[in-house]
Amino acid sequence: MEHTEFAPGLMIAGVTLPLRQRDFKLIAFDMDSTLINIECVDELADAVGRKAEVSAITEAAMQGEITDYKESLRQRVALLKGATLAQIEQIYTERLRLNPGAQELVAACKLAGMKVLLVSGGFTYFTERLRDRLGLDYTRANVLEVVAGALTGRTVDQPWGDICDGDEKRSMLLQTCTQLGIAPSQAIAVGDGANDLPMMDVVGLSVAYHAKPAVRERAMVSIESGGLDRLLELFVR
């Protein structure tokens, strides 16, 4: 997609400006490296001395070099075996930070009447805390199996399936649109990795945030410098 520079570090393609917030009823965010500053699975791996190994798989998956996201996540979760709930809590309190502009963008969208969805290939331990912290309306993520206060290296199957991959992100977004009685064209999707592309491809406005090259190329908006709230520069009230 051919992009033009709207402002320094803010690229657009196929977007008719100005955008109006009232035209959108839902915004969906990826979590890791989009809404927050870390890849939670990599930080969990650090707790058990396996960060390099897990980070390499994560990077390949986000670049789109590994096409089977579910299998890549199973491999990574297996390497987390033995991490304790105390270590996970420490990651949340000491390492996890909202990315710049995240709180401002969420607040502005909520003020404009949009619902907010968080869809993640990460874990409910983190998405549920972010939901409560930011007042998010919907979340979907993977559940880590815990026995005796430590991870078993497996995820727990959910009614919707086993692992939240790109197809599940798209499915959850479309399901939420149906629930709200809106068209996908009235939704915004924000992400940074290859597993965000399925949901970004079906919405009215796709936004890449400091994203991998393949994601920047296909997004309608690419935020390449500054915070998430730079998206608001494209909107009028």
Side-chain angles (χ1 to χ4, degrees):
M1 198 180 296
E2 189 69 32
H3 289 77
T4 59
E5 189 173 63
F6 172 76
L10 188 61
M11 309 296 291
I12 60 172
V15 178
T16 302
L17 297 177
L19 298 169
R20 296 175 300 182
Q21 288 183 339
R22 65 177 178 270
D23 290 340
F24 297 95
K25 305 300 181 188
L26 174 69
I27 184 165
F29 290 95
D30 167 54
M31 180 174 69
D32 297 270
S33 299
T34 299
L35 196 65
I36 64 172
N37 64 322
I38 59 173
E39 292 284 338
C40 291
V41 67
D42 294 357
E43 299 307 314
L44 287 170
D46 193 31
V48 291
R50 291 176 172 148
K51 186 171 184 178
E53 192 174 351
V54 169
S55 294
I57 301 172
T58 299
E59 179 65 14
M62 293 304 100
Q63 292 282 5
E65 294 164 8
I66 295 177
T67 53
D68 189 341
Y69 180 85
K70 288 188 178 185
E71 185 53 36
S72 84
L73 188 68
R74 288 189 194 101
Q75 289 173 13
R76 286 176 284 166
V77 170
L79 293 168
L80 303 181
K81 184 176 180 179
T84 66
L85 288 178
Q87 289 172 315
I88 300 171
E89 179 62 22
Q90 191 174 13
I91 289 165
Y92 178 77
T93 56
E94 295 182 7
R95 301 191 189 186
L96 186 151
R97 299 289 180 266
L98 293 173
N99 268 329
Q103 199 149 5
E104 292 81 357
L105 178 57
V106 169
C109 289
K110 287 165 64 71
L111 189 64
M114 289 183 222
K115 297 295 186 182
V116 186
L117 166 65
L118 180 58
V119 276
S120 175
F123 311 112
T124 54
Y125 189 95
F126 302 102
T127 58
E128 289 174 357
R129 283 160 177 75
L130 291 168
R131 176 197 63 202
D132 297 343
R133 180 171 165 183
L134 294 171
L136 309 181
D137 299 288
Y138 313 98
T139 64
R140 175 144 297 174
N142 304 300
V143 180
L144 290 166
E145 185 179 66
V146 179
V147 174
L151 301 186
T152 65
R154 294 185 295 270
T155 57
V156 180
D157 287 359
Q158 301 301 296
W160 47 262
D162 54 352
I163 286 174
C164 184
D165 61 355
D167 289 341
E168 183 56 35
K169 287 187 177 192
R170 179 185 59 210
S171 177
M172 179 60 179
L173 184 145
L174 293 174
Q175 178 185 321
T176 305
C177 288
T178 299
Q179 186 178 334
L180 294 172
I182 65 171
S185 61
Q186 294 172 283
I188 302 168
V190 188
D192 75 301
N195 64 327
D196 297 316
L197 287 171
M199 71 170 178
M200 292 171 69
D201 285 345
V202 297
V203 295
L205 185 66
S206 55
V207 182
Y209 179 70
H210 294 262
K212 306 303 181 190
V215 181
R216 291 202 310 269
E217 171 62 28
R218 277 167 58 180
M220 298 167 74
V221 177
S222 180
I223 300 171
E224 298 180 5
S225 67
L228 281 162
D229 55 340
R230 294 211 62 194
L231 179 63
L232 298 173
E233 295 177 31
L234 303 178
F235 284 89
V236 293
R237 291 285 178 187

